[in-house]
Structure formats: C-alpha cells, structure tokens
Amino acid sequence: MLAVLWDEAHLWGVLLARSLAAMGANVRLLRAHEAARGHLEAHPPAALVVPGGFSSRKAASLGGRGLEAIRRYVAAGGAYLGICGGAGLGLTVPGGLALCPWTREPFPKRIQHFASGNVVLHPQESAFTPTGLSAPLAPVWWPATFRPHGQGVEVVARYGEPGPGFMMADIPLALIPEQVLEDWEALYGVRLAPAFAPGDPCVAAGSFGRGRYVLSHAHLESPGAPEANAWLAHMLSELSGLELAPAPAPAWAIGLRPPAWDDPALTRALELMLGVVELGRAHGLFTWRESWLLGWRQGLPGAQISGVLAMLDHARSLSPTDEALSFLERRRRGFARDSELLARGLSGYLLAERLALTLSRVDPEAVPERGLREARFTLFGPPPGAGGTAGGLCGRVLDVLEEAICLCGRQKSG
C-alpha cells in the first residue's frame, strides 16, 4: 500500500490521488496527526508520497513529532516521494525533513518563482528512469529550485527548455518576441525567465539511513502528460517495490461529472465557487488555463480558489462511507455558512481588485492596498511564508473537505 500525506495538498493531492488510482495503486490518505501519533511505525507503507502544496504549511500540520516520525520511517527502510512542495519538505531547510542534504535556492527576484507550464526534461541514466525515455514534456507549477550541497545525491532528470504553453506569472512566453523580452530587461530591469536554467536538476534521488527518497519539482501526475505519467509509475514502482501500471492520468473537468455523492451542501458550495469563477472571468481576472486549473491575473488568489474547486469536485465524485456521512452531517451547518461567506467575500474582494486595476493609472490610492490585504486575510488567513496552515474562511472550508475525502478513502484502503 502507498500512503499519501493528505494535509495541505488540496488540488495537488487530488491530482495525485486520481493518477495513482489510474495506476491501480492501493492508497491510504494519511493525516498529519496520524503520522505524528505513530501510524507510519505501526503500519509502514510501501512508500510515502507527499504531493505539492506549500512545504511550510505541510511542516506546520505535521509539527515536530510528525516530521520526526517521517524521518524515522525512511531511516528504517521506508521510501519517500516528494512532488514540488513535497520535494521542498524533503530538503535540509528550516522546518524540512533533511532527508536530502540539498537546500532551496532563494529567488533573486520573486517573479522568477512564477513559472508554470510544460518544460522539456532530460532524463539521466538511473534506476528511476524507464528504458527508452527521451526528452519528455512534463508540467511544472511554480517550482522552487534545488541548491545542490553535500554528497550522495543522484540527479534523475535535468531541465531543458520551456515548452508549449509555458508562462511567467500571467504572461505566455510564446506570445512575446525574444527581442521584446530583451528590450524589457534593458529598459525595466525585468527578466521574464524562470529561476531554473537548462541543465539544472529537476528530479533528485538518494538514500537516508536504510531508506530512499525521490524529490521531483516536475508534476509528473498532471493530466495531459502521458509520458510524465508513465515515468511516475515507473519511479514509484522502483521506489516502493509495487507493480504499478504506466497509465495516463485521467482527464478532468471540474463541475462536469455527475456526482456520486449528491450531498446538497457540497453541491451548493460548488455552485457558489463556480459562480465566483464566472464573476472573475467576466471581469477579465480569471480564465480556465486547464479544465481543472484556473489562470489568473498576477496577485489574485487563483491558486486558493482552484484548491477549493478541486476538493469540492473530488468529494462529490466519491461514494461516501458511513463515517464520511456522519462527519459531514455534524459539520453541515458550519460548512454551509462558511461556504456562503467565502463566496460572498470572494465576490466583493474580486470586484474591489477589478476597480483597483481600472483606477491604477489615474489614482493608484483610490482602492487602498490595506483594505485589499485585510480582505485577503479574512478569506485566506496569513500568507504561507508567515507559518501555520491554511486559514481564514477558505481554511475552514478546506478542513471539512480534507477530512470528508479522507474518510471516503478509507472505504477502499482500510
């Protein structure tokens, strides 16, 4: 059995769960408090997989006991696969697991972090690389960058050039002529290039005690990337000793599947959030970048809204257990209230951002940034760098969805 650390993963946890299901994997969704209380020691999985999301929030949810429990599990012969934020958690950084001696490269300019889309990867000769794989396209979604340090780390894949659909913040690079990019750098000091460069490591592997780890900044579980999906299956098979099918991640369009769990509170919450998206689209703030992922103007909370949408849609696709039904019934009133407040608050906030955008050239102070910042805090709590887990109204809604989905998952994995 594989274990997936479920806390603070949201969209990325759903993507991973869907991809693993397509491979035929038997999966247990593991809560951080279970890891802290000894579940990994009592029931060691074939591998622990940690999806994307903010590594600092994962660390906060695990706490010192949870982090140490994962270290003990790997050191005793366990296997760890970290994807994007899960990869960052495996590094030797404050709040990290220190499975890998490498650290994280700081961003000289924050814009360099806002890179997303397909990149060409160059696989290296490794047990984690399938025979015959050559320069596949794989998606990255706002990755950090490894800073190599210390010995014993194997590079499994290196970055190549950005591929089709690659974006820096909300700007598609393919639509900007190279000369214009050079002019912008000369005139404004803005270099629209990701922090990583061709040849930099993207996937790394090594040993920790008697166990092994693989850390990937590429989201090999993303739909629409069959070569990357097959690579993930091979990587996990090698790491865990299980035989997983190299199946493509299933296509996914949020809000279009008939529900298996037709609960009125979940249905209403999804309708509300899709209404927020349509409001944002009408005002040019949002697009559908993928059928499962929003695109958004830089600075807007598209990632958080995508996370709530993904969790709602995934929850409704599951057949609920008695435990899940009982849990949601106990939380129904608060969940319904928080969903309504979140949608209402988001609508007001997005319209204020739209007004600020319109007035920015004639009166930049017309919509004070302080008011927008306070609205974001109410909706989402402190920013990820401030520590702690997801907060605000969004955090309360996600807390219910995390547990409900986890309880549904127990039906299959026990």
Side-chain angles (χ1 to χ4, degrees):
M1 179 183 293
L2 300 175
V4 172
L5 184 65
W6 192 239
D7 295 62
E8 298 295 332
H10 308 148
L11 167 63
W12 312 113
V14 175
L15 279 187
L16 180 63
R18 289 170 53 80
S19 184
L20 293 177
M23 296 177 195
N26 187 14
V27 174
R28 187 186 200 279
L29 303 182
L30 179 71
R31 300 308 306 266
H33 65 83
E34 294 177 312
R37 293 172 185 169
H39 185 89
L40 290 170
E41 184 176 8
H43 309 282
L48 172 64
V49 190
V50 182
F54 293 106
S55 59
S56 61
R57 287 183 167 172
K58 296 179 188 296
S61 67
L62 286 162
R65 289 176 60 190
L67 290 167
E68 186 54 36
I70 294 176
R71 286 172 53 84
R72 288 197 306 269
Y73 157 74
V74 180
Y80 179 98
L81 171 63
I83 300 172
C84 201
L89 187 67
L91 299 175
T92 302
V93 294
L97 291 164
L99 303 177
C100 174
W102 286 6
T103 58
R104 186 185 299 115
E105 193 73 45
F107 297 104
K109 294 186 177 180
R110 192 64 182 166
I111 189 71
Q112 292 182 298
H113 179 46
F114 301 139
S116 61
N118 287 312
V119 294
V120 176
L121 293 186
H122 295 295
Q124 309 297 293
E125 187 174 340
S126 167
F128 296 111
T129 302
T131 303
L133 184 66
S134 176
L137 281 175
V140 295
W141 304 110
W142 310 283
T145 307
F146 291 127
R147 173 178 277 183
H149 178 78
Q151 304 298 313
V153 182
E154 172 193 10
V155 176
V156 178
R158 296 186 182 276
Y159 282 109
E161 297 291 337
F166 193 84
M167 297 181 72
M168 290 299 300
D170 52 6
I171 299 177
L173 282 190
L175 300 183
I176 309 296
E178 185 65 32
Q179 183 59 54
V180 172
L181 292 173
E182 293 176 6
D183 291 345
W184 284 356
E185 186 171 2
L187 289 169
Y188 311 120
V190 175
R191 184 169 182 266
L192 282 187
F196 61 81
D200 286 350
C202 179
V203 184
S207 299
F208 182 78
R210 299 200 305 275
R212 296 189 295 171
Y213 63 83
V214 175
L215 308 180
S216 173
H217 280 145
H219 278 270
L220 303 177
E221 80 284 18
S222 298
E227 283 188 298
N229 303 155
W231 193 358
L232 176 62
H234 174 90
M235 194 178 288
L236 261 176
S237 297
E238 170 65 27
L239 192 61
S240 67
L242 303 174
E243 292 187 14
L244 302 176
W252 180 24
I254 285 179
L256 296 186
R257 293 180 296 180
W261 186 359
D262 197 9
D263 181 271
L266 296 176
T267 298
R268 174 61 177 163
L270 183 58
E271 289 173 351
L272 287 168
M273 293 304 297
L274 289 172
V276 168
V277 171
E278 288 308 304
L279 176 69
R281 290 182 65 204
H283 287 278
L285 303 177
F286 293 147
T287 60
W288 281 107
R289 179 153 180 200
E290 305 283 350
S291 59
W292 49 270
L293 175 67
L294 290 176
W296 58 88
R297 282 185 176 272
Q298 183 58 36
L300 295 180
Q304 295 93 325
I305 295 173
S306 286
V308 176
L309 286 168
M311 296 286 276
L312 284 166
D313 190 71
H314 187 60
R316 294 176 76 243
S317 75
L318 302 173
S319 298
T321 60
D322 291 341
E323 279 187 288
L325 290 168
S326 176
F327 168 76
L328 188 56
E329 194 57 43
R330 293 195 305 272
R331 302 291 294 272
R332 179 179 304 280
R333 181 174 297 180
F335 178 78
R337 180 194 63 239
D338 289 341
S339 298
E340 294 277 354
L341 290 173
L342 177 62
R344 192 184 311 158
L346 279 169
S347 297
Y349 165 74
L350 291 174
L351 291 173
E353 287 279 13
R354 180 67 178 90
L355 180 62
L357 183 67
T358 298
L359 298 177
S360 61
R361 298 299 296 271
V362 293
D363 187 358
E365 301 300 321
V367 182
E369 173 57 31
R370 178 180 177 181
L372 297 174
R373 188 166 57 247
E374 289 173 351
R376 288 193 294 269
F377 184 88
T378 299
L379 294 167
F380 305 110
T389 56
L393 288 166
C394 182
R396 298 211 296 266
V397 169
L398 287 169
D399 283 347
V400 174
L401 293 171
E402 277 185 337
E403 184 64 10
I405 292 170
C406 192
L407 292 173
C408 288
R410 299 291 157 82
Q411 180 167 267
K412 292 183 179 180
S413 59

